[in-house]
Amino acid sequence: MPSTINVDVAIIGAGTAGMYALREVMRADKSFVLIDQGPLGTTCARVGCMPSKVALHAAQLWAGRKHMPAMGISGSENLLIDYRQTWQALRAQRDQFSNGAASKARKAAGDNLIMGKARMLSPTRISVATAAGEQLVEAQRSIVATGSRPVRPHWLPSAAQGVITSDELFELDDLPPRIGVIGLGAVGLEMSLALARLGIQVTAAGTGTLAGSADPDIAQAAELRFSKEFDLWLGEPAKLEPKGKGWVLHSGSRRAEVDLVVAALGRQANNDQLGLAEAGLPLDSKGQPVFDPQTLQVGQLPVFIAGDANGDRPLMHEAADEGAMAGFNACQPNPTAFRRKTPLAIAFSDPDLCTIGARYDQLDPEQILVGSAQGSSNGRARILGGEESLIRLYADKRSGTLLGASLLCTAGEHLAHQLAWAIQRNETALDLLQMPFYHPVIEEMLASALQEIAKHFAGTAQPLGIPLD
């Protein structure tokens, strides 16, 4: 008979959400176990945010050589790149991030860390298959924070056949000369650009807009901008046909031969391996747990679900918030409903593609004002090669309160945060125009867009001259 450990809280998953949940459980001085089947280290550190940004940084350094002759820098045509060494350097830096996250998990959980595959027998009873055999856990409350994995449809060939996921991309020893990418969400777009800027011939296909952009003007601007860097196919589904040691990528009448295919088709929650239905958890039509996004409680059960495991907001900063919410509520007699922070999504595409607050397709066009500004009229953007930048702000027609924004903008990652903060604080266009704007900075584009909104409030707009460089 396996032994049983009795604790206040069982946390399944030691990723970002699980670790933030653990922080709250430890603050409440509750007994716990942290269960993970490995490898330790968050999705962000191992296969997501961090290695992708290393790839983008390497690509930016290499692509920068093309602009050197215009500034009088000679010899750039003689520079060489060793992709094998580039990817080794990427993995070395990735491993520093990942090992650091794994070390923090081991240190925080100590002897309460159970390495093994979990299965829920009931909302509070968990079986863990460990190397030493089955371990049972009986908990007063359970937190599901099992993360996610790349979607790999049944029709997709295997990695052994030359079709890999975005996770597996970073494990390559070398990069072939021609790579196809299927899927153009944030990950697909970022990897297409990184590979193309490194000098790889990239063909990328997707059925929707780039990074899911909902604003048609931003989506069109992004397509025009990035189609200059790689073969960009939007619209029809992609199909694969084997040819020699590679593949022919099809989309409608378009075709291209590639040596390797990267599938960036999104991610799916790992909770399908927990036996949730058998444990009595309520599931929706897609087999996902039914939960309250303000409390993260599953039904009326003593179970909370956080991070990528619930599929609601699969982003690292959201996983951190949700982990803290779940951990806090798992330690309370009655769960607290939390106000969620302003939605914020960024593709680090340079110019960055960002969506902040309410999406354009969530708003009534008759009830909003739209303010826009272009990089071609901003001195700093022109210096940085960001003439094709475009920002669009959405404000309430009656009050001028900022509701949302969409950007294709050089240094957009920073402007997106400023806008998210303003939206969460219910700032109006007039409020923001009272703030200082240095010259020359990208933020002057924000001032121009705000003026477009403010002009609708006759007699209240503050004069603000933005130099046209």
Side-chain angles (χ1 to χ4, degrees):
M1 285 287 293
S3 62
T4 300
I5 299 175
N6 291 279
V7 293
D8 294 322
V9 183
I11 303 170
I12 309 174
T16 298
M19 292 305 298
Y20 274 81
L22 176 59
R23 182 192 69 182
E24 296 302 315
V25 171
M26 294 179 70
R27 283 178 174 175
D29 198 26
K30 299 293 185 180
S31 61
F32 68 89
V33 291
L34 178 65
I35 306 166
D36 197 280
Q37 66 178 6
L40 291 174
T42 65
T43 296
C44 174
R46 288 190 298 105
V47 294
C49 327
M50 306 317 292
S52 64
K53 302 310 168 285
V54 178
L56 286 164
H57 179 61
Q60 181 186 41
L61 292 174
W62 179 242
R65 76 194 190 286
K66 298 178 182 178
H67 307 290
M68 292 179 181
M71 292 296 180
I73 304 172
S74 61
S76 59
E77 67 278 3
N78 298 317
L79 293 173
L80 300 174
I81 185 169
D82 182 335
Y83 295 132
R84 183 179 293 271
Q85 188 172 345
T86 301
W87 239 232
Q88 286 176 349
L90 179 151
R91 282 195 298 274
Q93 196 164 357
R94 181 273 311 270
D95 290 346
Q96 289 180 358
F97 290 116
S98 183
N99 292 341
S103 178
K104 288 179 181 179
R106 293 190 188 95
K107 182 178 180 180
D111 294 337
N112 299 314
L113 175 63
I114 302 176
M115 296 300 298
K117 186 174 182 179
R119 181 169 56 91
M120 298 188 75
L121 305 178
S122 77
T124 58
R125 190 167 176 80
I126 303 162
S127 170
V128 187
T130 74
E134 184 183 18
Q135 173 67 66
L136 294 177
V137 175
E138 189 72 47
Q140 295 298 312
R141 306 287 178 92
S142 301
I143 298 175
V144 176
T146 44
S148 63
R149 63 187 185 276
V151 171
R152 183 181 273 279
H154 67 276
W155 56 265
L156 199 68
S158 69
Q161 295 171 292
V163 180
I164 62 175
T165 67
S166 53
D167 282 13
E168 295 159 332
L169 173 62
F170 303 119
E171 303 305 325
L172 295 177
D173 291 327
D174 204 350
L175 298 176
R178 303 172 303 177
I179 294 180
V181 177
I182 303 177
L184 283 164
V187 173
L189 175 60
E190 288 182 358
M191 289 302 91
S192 294
L193 288 167
L195 293 168
R197 290 168 182 171
L198 284 169
I200 304 298
Q201 181 181 322
V202 173
T203 304
T207 55
T209 58
L210 291 173
S213 179
D215 186 304
D217 288 2
I218 296 293
Q220 182 181 37
E223 182 177 354
L224 289 172
R225 171 64 180 80
F226 298 127
S227 62
K228 297 176 181 179
E229 299 197 60
F230 61 90
D231 289 335
L232 173 57
W233 302 346
L234 290 175
E236 301 191 47
K239 298 180 181 179
L240 293 174
E241 173 191 334
K243 183 173 182 181
K245 294 183 178 180
W247 296 91
V248 177
L249 180 63
H250 295 270
S251 179
S253 60
R254 297 166 292 195
R255 65 189 302 276
E257 294 185 18
V258 297
D259 305 300
L260 178 75
V261 177
V262 178
L265 299 170
R267 300 184 72 84
Q268 67 183 82
N270 288 330
N271 57 41
D272 58 336
Q273 303 171 4
L274 290 175
L276 301 182
E278 294 81 357
L281 275 64
L283 306 179
D284 62 19
S285 59
K286 297 181 180 179
Q288 297 302 308
V290 178
F291 71 100
D292 184 332
Q294 267 67 55
T295 65
L296 303 179
Q297 184 177 17
V298 177
Q300 298 300 313
L301 299 174
V303 180
F304 301 85
I305 186 165
D308 286 9
N310 67 39
D312 185 33
R313 299 187 180 189
L315 296 165
M316 189 273 185
H317 71 282
E318 297 287 1
D321 285 349
E322 291 185 359
M325 290 163 58
F328 179 86
N329 279 337
C331 299
Q332 308 303 316
N334 297 300
T336 297
F338 288 88
R339 176 189 175 192
R340 300 303 298 266
K341 295 177 182 177
T342 297
L344 174 62
I346 302 173
F348 294 81
S349 43
D350 188 24
D352 301 330
L353 192 54
C354 313
T355 301
I356 310 102
R359 291 163 54 94
Y360 183 79
D361 57 1
Q362 296 172 331
L363 299 169
D364 180 353
E366 299 298 321
Q367 302 300 320
I368 62 171
L369 298 170
V370 179
S372 63
Q374 297 181 330
S376 57
S377 298
N378 178 272
R380 181 65 169 163
R382 290 165 58 186
I383 290 170
L384 298 175
E387 296 93 336
E388 293 165 289
S389 294
L390 174 66
I391 71 174
R392 280 168 56 86
L393 311 180
Y394 321 129
D396 182 84
K397 197 171 188 176
R398 294 165 296 180
S399 65
T401 300
L402 215 58
L403 303 174
S406 187
L407 320 176
L408 174 72
C409 191
T410 294
E413 60 178 292
H414 307 298
L415 193 58
H417 278 84
Q418 295 168 351
L419 286 166
W421 300 337
I423 291 169
Q424 187 156 316
R425 292 172 59 88
N426 295 315
E427 302 279 6
T428 69
L430 296 176
D431 291 335
L432 294 176
L433 284 171
Q434 306 311 306
M435 302 300 171
F437 290 86
Y438 201 80
H439 177 73
V441 292
I442 296 294
E443 283 74 9
E444 288 175 295
M445 289 180 63
L446 172 58
S448 298
L450 289 168
Q451 284 285 16
E452 278 200 5
I453 295 170
K455 71 182 181 183
H456 292 272
F457 299 90
T460 57
Q462 298 295 316
L464 180 62
I466 302 300
L468 181 63
D469 294 284

